[in-house]
Amino acid sequence: MDISEVLKNKIESNETILTEFESKELLQEIGISVPSQRLITSIDETISAAEEIGFPVVLKLIAEDIVHKSDTGAVKLNIKDKDELEAAYKDLMNIPSQKEKKISVQKMADEPITELIIGMTTDAQFGPALMFGIGGILVELLEDVSFRIAPVTEYDCREMIREIKGFPILDGYRGKPKADINAIVDTLMKISDLVIKYEEINELDLNPVFIYEKGLICVDARIILKNK
Ligand code: ADP
Ligand code: MG
């Protein structure tokens, strides 16, 4: 995948939003792991993709006018066999959309220690600002996130991670395993490099990232480009 080519094509066709599938392909290209995924359009392809990837899988409806997928029922988790797959496929195809519908078949990721959010927004004055937080209600209700202007150093990343209130959740709170902090630092650095290199990226949202004792995996992502 040639990232500059992908971004250029999008901008030239007056599109600013990369789909989840495209966004995760781009992340994979810069070395951030994502569940193996296939983009398909028929039930036969869905079955062969699921068999190739291996059950359990997740099906998601990918269409340009569907942004918050779970709100519209466009995410089917933990599909364990062919029967469940066929039922999920039917449900997804019944969701109304004005745009072309495709299905993403992806590996169901293992239960994480917690979900994380890693993002970037462009500040009018300071340029790209990286954001880090723990996913779910901690982010939504408590606004427990930290920010740094890119480019960041490894030291900045470690501070960003330590300064959120929910840090104990990553640090082995109540006998839970400790999260792989180095993997988070590495991901923040990669996102920083990406947004510095490609100024055409306006916004980036990895939500959620599943964090483990060893490694992490980004299960949903969205990249938004600047207008031409
Ligand atoms: P939305 O567009 O609503 O944000 P997501 O793609 O984030 O949709 O999916 C909703 C939730 O489903 C995620 O927050 C995550 O908890 C779970 N999920 C999504 N994809 C996977 C996956 N591949 N493996 C395991 N869980 C997943
Ligand atoms: Mg999401």
Side-chain angles (χ1 to χ4, degrees):
M1 177 189 199
D2 180 344
I3 297 178
S4 22
E5 195 67 24
V6 170
L7 300 183
K8 197 174 125 220
N9 289 341
K10 276 276 165 190
I11 292 168
E12 276 172 4
S13 48
N14 277 313
E15 286 173 31
T16 52
I17 302 182
L18 275 70
T19 63
E20 175 194 318
F21 187 85
E22 295 168 327
S23 302
K24 289 194 328 200
E25 281 210 310
L26 194 152
L27 293 177
Q28 189 164 36
E29 186 66 31
I30 62 165
I32 296 174
S33 71
V34 303
S36 29
Q37 53 171 7
R38 308 268 189 286
L39 196 61
I40 51 85
T41 50
S42 73
I43 182 64
D44 290 346
E45 284 176 301
T46 308
I47 295 167
S48 44
E51 281 168 351
E52 229 179 274
I53 291 170
F55 289 101
V57 295
V58 176
L59 287 199
K60 298 183 191 176
L61 183 64
I62 306 289
E64 271 168 32
D65 54 353
I66 296 180
V67 179
H68 299 292
K69 296 177 297 290
S70 20
D71 294 352
T72 45
V75 179
K76 300 280 188 184
L77 297 173
N78 203 20
I79 298 166
K80 291 185 288 299
D81 56 39
K82 203 173 147 217
D83 288 345
E84 288 184 16
L85 193 67
E86 281 169 353
Y89 181 88
K90 263 195 201 143
D91 286 351
L92 291 187
M93 281 305 179
N94 282 329
I95 296 173
S97 154
Q98 304 303 316
K99 300 283 185 171
E100 190 192 6
K101 287 182 187 176
K102 289 192 176 163
I103 302 278
S104 163
V105 185
Q106 49 191 260
K107 183 80 184 165
M108 174 81 189
D110 292 336
E111 183 91 16
I113 295 174
T114 183
E115 296 191 357
L116 307 174
I117 292 184
I118 293 175
M120 184 280 283
T121 50
T122 303
D123 181 273
Q125 214 173 345
F126 299 108
L130 298 189
M131 191 204 77
F132 170 74
I134 288 183
I137 54 162
L138 279 175
V139 155
E140 278 167 30
L141 244 56
L142 310 177
E143 293 179 18
D144 185 20
V145 291
S146 55
F147 292 92
R148 286 293 182 287
I149 302 300
V152 290
T153 63
E154 206 181 300
Y155 184 83
D156 294 329
C157 297
R158 290 193 192 278
E159 273 189 347
M160 275 181 91
I161 298 165
R162 287 200 158 265
E163 76 190 28
I164 59 164
K165 294 185 203 79
F167 177 71
I169 296 171
L170 302 174
D171 198 34
Y173 180 69
R174 295 210 167 166
K176 273 208 178 191
K178 278 185 198 263
D180 189 343
I181 302 294
N182 289 335
I184 307 174
V185 172
D186 178 65
T187 303
L188 287 166
M189 295 290 288
K190 282 174 173 156
I191 296 295
S192 173
D193 290 347
L194 177 77
V195 300
I196 292 297
K197 184 160 177 202
Y198 299 101
E199 280 180 12
E200 52 271 59
I201 299 177
N202 193 52
E203 224 180 291
L204 190 143
D205 194 26
L206 280 59
N207 182 8
V209 170
F210 282 11
I211 180 74
Y212 303 101
E213 263 185 283
K214 264 207 164 148
L216 56 73
I217 189 163
C218 171
V219 307
D220 182 28
R222 186 156 54 119
I223 295 175
I224 302 179
L225 306 178
K226 289 175 183 146
N227 287 312
K228 232 199 288 205

